[in-house]
Amino acid sequence: MGLRRIFTDQDPALHKVCRPVEKFDWRLRKLLDDMKETLVDAEGVGLAAPQVGILRRVVVVDTGEEILELVNPTLVETAGEQCGAEGCLSVPGKYGLVKRPNYAKVRAQDRDGNWFEAEGEELIARCFCHELDHLDGILYTEVMERFLTDEELKADEA
Ligand code: NI
């Protein structure tokens, strides 16, 4: 186990398309363990491998009940729409207004290579879309309507 450094949006790793995972070996297990530890430490909702400098299609998402490990994930179904505040551990201190589906279902492999599906609404759906975008080198700042102002953020906290 170990904490990994979280790269910020200035780093080229965050703007590249990640390659699929082919080997379900100890390196993948170590990456997933480290990403989960790093996510919990940073108090985030999701983390994608390129955010720790690894250009592979790996994501972890905290659903509130468990931390999902998504290897080679794809969106298989979306529905509805939500527009709200979104942040990213790689864009510290900022939040943007981003339109996302209100429901999303992903298909992914677990650390042993077994395929499964996971679904979620609202924050989880938003997180699935945000993290999968990372795997294609896309940050929310590229798809957002605009950044939220300090006043709007303060109003959110109140
Ligand atoms: Ni992010």
Side-chain angles (χ1 to χ4, degrees):
M1 300 280 276
L3 287 178
R4 306 255 179 143
R5 181 169 74 85
I6 298 176
F7 290 50
T8 60
D9 55 344
Q10 267 101 70
D11 196 284
L14 283 164
H15 304 277
K16 296 204 169 122
V17 175
C18 298
R19 287 164 292 157
V21 170
E22 283 156 8
K23 286 187 192 159
F24 293 80
D25 59 4
W26 67 271
R27 274 195 187 85
L28 176 65
R29 294 194 293 275
K30 170 99 171 82
L31 174 64
L32 284 163
D33 289 342
D34 287 356
M35 283 174 65
K36 291 207 283 195
E37 194 178 333
T38 304
L39 177 68
V40 170
D41 181 72
E43 299 180 348
V45 184
L47 187 70
Q51 292 183 274
V52 294
I54 306 292
L55 296 177
R56 290 285 180 179
R57 304 189 80 83
V58 176
V59 159
V60 292
V61 173
D62 188 349
T63 66
E65 286 166 9
E66 60 176 326
I67 300 181
L68 286 175
E69 301 177 355
L70 306 174
V71 179
N72 297 328
T74 52
L75 270 179
V76 291
E77 199 182 327
T78 60
E81 191 180 278
Q82 56 175 320
C83 192
E86 191 166 314
C88 178
L89 293 172
S90 295
V91 190
K94 290 188 173 174
Y95 293 88
L97 197 59
V98 189
K99 209 177 277 179
R100 299 284 190 187
N102 197 51
Y103 166 88
K105 185 196 277 186
V106 294
R107 182 172 145 78
Q109 284 169 287
D110 66 17
R111 59 171 64 201
D112 299 313
N114 303 305
W115 288 96
F116 68 100
E117 287 184 340
E119 60 179 359
E121 295 182 329
E122 298 176 4
L123 179 63
I124 304 306
R126 175 177 292 285
C127 189
F128 284 160
C129 297
H130 175 115
E131 300 309 329
L132 266 62
D133 271 356
H134 271 303
L135 303 182
D136 291 322
I138 299 165
L139 296 177
Y140 82 82
T141 50
E142 295 164 59
V143 296
M144 69 179 180
E145 317 269 307
R146 59 177 174 83
F147 277 119
L148 291 176
T149 64
D150 289 345
E151 286 71 30
E152 286 172 315
L153 288 174
K154 271 186 211 128
D156 251 17
E157 281 163 18

